Amino acid sequence: AAKREGRETWRAYTRELEGGRRSRKKLEVELRAAIEENSLSVYYQPQVDLVTHRMIAVEALTRWRRPEGDIVSPLDFIPLAEETRLIVQLGEFVLRRAATDIVPFSELALAVNLSPVQLLRTDLVQMIEEVLAQSGFAPDRLELEITESALLKDDHTVRKMMLELKQLGVKLALDDFGTGFSSLSYLQRLPFDTIKLDRSFINSLDRDPGAVSIVHAVIGLGASLGMKVVAEGVETTAQARFLRDEGCRIAQGFLFAPALPAEEVDRLRGIDLSRHRVAAA
Ligand code: C2E
Ligand code: MG
Ligand code: MG
Ligand code: MG
């Protein structure tokens, strides 16, 4: 009986695995098509000045609606795009679309996520230079967000690449700060302009004294290193107030707005965002 049970379990497992593989392959085929047909959307989440409550920048976040109509989270398709290297095309598409969309909103900076896979490509700098030139987007309005996992890859190559990007005049942000490994040495060795404080710390501010100490320390660290600190995932006025009182000037989160289509961003320009919460589009 035990043997039969084992065999059944194994069969079920194999079936599931094959199903998983099939749907993964299907997803890959669909994602490739979406990229080639330019049918991905790029939404923009406002970054807000906590003193003036005005939007000063937006982060480009990719949205994918499958032919079936359901929205796939970037948390699912970005890793797939990275494993299949589709991220190279996807990343270029997002940058080009974002630069084109945001270039007329001249008071706004633009943040775009850069995958570790892109960072190791020798043609990255040329690609970015080209997109900036073609869209007329000033390099100093662009900030590239890099996560700590990217920095684990190849220390020397990554550092060289980052210095070349800085030469272009673009800014660099360390994304999801505090979630990876040995972040402090990265801050010392790599030319970051901005620290993005991971939303897990902001999220636990209300109930975790440890989070309060860490947020306090990171804001101080940013100030003494001459870096901007952006708080991610700000959802309550209490969090926003705490951050502002601690000297953190910039926040991004559902308290102000989720990622929105460019037309919505246009409508919110110059508006006091502390007065009303913007719902998801
Ligand atoms: P990220 O770069 O850290 O982006 C912030 C994520 O936090 C976004 O999730 C955003 O919708 C979410 N978020 C913002 N405010 C709040 C809040 O107040 N509460 C909560 N709970 N969440 C908030 P999203 O759009 O699902 O993206 C997830 C991740 O996927 C991004 O994390 C980024 O690492 C990656 N990603 C998205 N678009 C791209 C892209 O075009 N290229 C690359 N390489 N990665 C991307
Ligand atoms: Mg980001
Ligand atoms: Mg982030
Ligand atoms: Mg994050």
Side-chain angles (χ1 to χ4, degrees), residues 45 59-63 73-75 77-78 82 87 90-91 94 112-115 118 145 147 175-176 196 198-199 232-235 252-255 257 259:
Q45 186 175 33
E59 177 178 2
L61 293 162
T62 306
R63 296 290 177 262
S73 161
L75 296 174
F77 71 80
I78 294 293
E82 286 175 335
I87 193 73
L90 187 153
V94 172
V112 176
N113 293 286
L114 205 61
S115 159
Q118 292 176 278
E145 298 193 358
T147 56
D175 204 354
D176 302 339
K196 293 196 81 178
D198 191 68
R199 77 162 182 265
E232 291 188 311
V234 176
E235 295 183 354
Q252 182 179 342
F254 297 163
L255 172 64

Side-chain angles (χ1 to χ4, degrees), residues 122-186:
T122 49
D123 56 359
L124 178 70
V125 174
Q126 196 197 327
M127 183 277 277
I128 292 172
E129 201 170 12
E130 229 171 73
V131 171
L132 291 173
Q134 286 165 2
S135 56
F137 202 91
D140 64 350
R141 285 177 64 196
L142 179 65
E143 184 155 75
L144 300 170
E145 298 193 358
I146 299 169
T147 56
E148 283 167 318
S149 66
L151 308 177
L152 295 172
K153 294 278 149 113
D154 181 335
D155 195 58
H156 180 70
T157 316
V158 166
R159 184 162 189 279
K160 219 174 121 237
M161 183 61 83
M162 289 179 64
L163 290 169
E164 278 182 51
L165 290 169
K166 290 291 297 179
Q167 286 287 313
L168 266 188
V170 305
K171 307 226 163 68
L172 300 174
L174 182 50
D175 204 354
D176 302 339
F177 181 74
T179 56
F181 304 95
S182 63
S183 325
L184 295 179
S185 76
Y186 296 136

Side-chain angles (χ1 to χ4, degrees), residues 19 33 38 40 46 55 61 74 83 97 101 139 155-156 196-197 239 244-245 269 271 280:
N38 284 356
L40 294 174
M55 173 167 50
L61 293 162
E83 283 162 38
R97 171 67 61 82
D101 280 349
D155 195 58
H156 180 70
K196 293 196 81 178
L197 192 46
Q239 291 163 354
R244 189 202 51 204
D245 293 348
R269 291 165 68 200
I271 284 178

